[in-house]
Amino acid sequence: MVTINGVNYVGNSVVMSNNRIIIDGKDVTDSYSKDQKEITIVVNGNCDEIKADNCLKITVSGNVGKIKTLSGDVECHDVLGDVETMSGDVDCSGNIAGKVKTMSGDIKYRK
């Protein structure tokens, strides 16, 4: 289950780009989502991929393949690939198989 600003979606791949929400390759953007200035993404369960231009925070309670955001904090458990944010903190409490990168932010690893 993927929740974006309180709206629930089902899918394994989440892309937020140019104020559009793409879940598993399908554009699911509605007029409410399109007008939001602060975006929060919550994944309850596992997810293959999350990409977001800008968001306030991405939280994944299960495992994720990879996460990439230009601006936004990331909180996750096990990551099978990379975690990358240009501007934001990364807080991981599980294993990370790939790299963790942030240009402007802190990286916390708790196990």
Side-chain angles (χ1 to χ4, degrees), residues 28-63:
V28 295
T29 309
D30 60 15
S31 59
Y32 170 76
S33 300
K34 197 174 186 180
D35 294 334
Q36 296 297 304
K37 299 300 178 206
E38 290 188 353
I39 307 294
T40 301
I41 300 171
V42 178
V43 178
N44 294 308
N46 299 334
C47 186
D48 292 336
E49 174 183 45
I50 302 172
K51 291 182 184 178
D53 286 348
N54 297 301
C55 64
L56 187 61
K57 186 173 187 178
I58 296 172
T59 305
V60 182
S61 63
N63 301 329

Side-chain angles (χ1 to χ4, degrees), residues 39-92:
I39 307 294
T40 301
I41 300 171
V42 178
V43 178
N44 294 308
N46 299 334
C47 186
D48 292 336
E49 174 183 45
I50 302 172
K51 291 182 184 178
D53 286 348
N54 297 301
C55 64
L56 187 61
K57 186 173 187 178
I58 296 172
T59 305
V60 182
S61 63
N63 301 329
V64 64
K66 62 182 174 180
I67 301 173
K68 183 175 182 178
T69 181
L70 295 178
S71 176
D73 295 337
V74 175
E75 186 176 311
C76 57
H77 189 62
D78 288 337
V79 181
L80 305 174
D82 299 335
V83 178
E84 185 177 342
T85 179
M86 292 289 285
S87 176
D89 297 334
V90 177
D91 187 351
C92 185

Side-chain angles (χ1 to χ4, degrees), residues 1-2 8-12 23-24:
M1 177 75 65
V2 178
N8 295 326
Y9 303 94
V10 176
N12 289 315
I23 306 288
D24 291 341

